[in-house]
Amino acid sequence: LPLKADGRPDGFLLRSPDPSVNPYLAFAMLLEAGLNGIENQLSLPSEDEISESFGEQKMTALLPGSLKEAVETAQNSEFIRTCGCKEIAGYYLQIEARLV
């Protein structure tokens, strides 16, 4: 990412772990999560805090290991149930659930 004059990054980079993700739905949820953080004045953890709390092995253990696990996790997600794109996400999950 390009840096601002003060050395901070100018923008963000989104790396999707799964190329089959619906990019519009993923970006809508990303915006929803960001707005939720702003509205609730949540702070981002530092890189050191992330490394300490979620080492590479721990972080991968948190991710679903299959499409079935991913669909189940999404269906049980409070965030998805309450986000502004919950109807679209619900339709998408119905379609994905049929593939499992």
Side-chain angles (χ1 to χ4, degrees):
L1 292 175
L3 300 178
K4 295 181 179 182
D6 64 3
R8 293 183 303 154
D10 188 20
F12 68 93
L13 177 65
L14 174 62
R15 292 186 179 160
S16 176
D18 185 351
S20 69
V21 69
N22 178 314
Y24 303 105
L25 186 56
F27 198 70
M29 289 186 179
L30 177 69
L31 290 175
E32 182 84 25
L35 290 172
N36 180 29
I38 292 168
E39 289 170 0
N40 293 306
Q41 298 181 343
L42 303 175
S43 61
L44 294 173
S46 70
E47 288 183 37
D48 292 336
E49 290 173 320
I50 292 171
S51 295
E52 290 173 10
S53 299
F54 302 104
E56 190 172 326
Q57 292 176 348
K58 291 179 185 176
M59 198 61 165
T60 55
L62 295 175
L63 298 173
S66 67
L67 178 59
K68 181 180 180 183
E69 287 180 25
V71 169
E72 289 171 357
T73 299
Q75 288 172 332
N76 295 322
S77 169
E78 181 180 343
F79 172 75
I80 291 178
R81 283 194 303 272
T82 59
C83 75
C85 53
K86 64 184 172 191
E87 288 181 29
I88 296 170
Y91 293 130
Y92 186 74
L93 287 173
Q94 287 176 0
I95 292 167
E96 292 295 318
R98 291 182 198 155
L99 299 174
V100 179

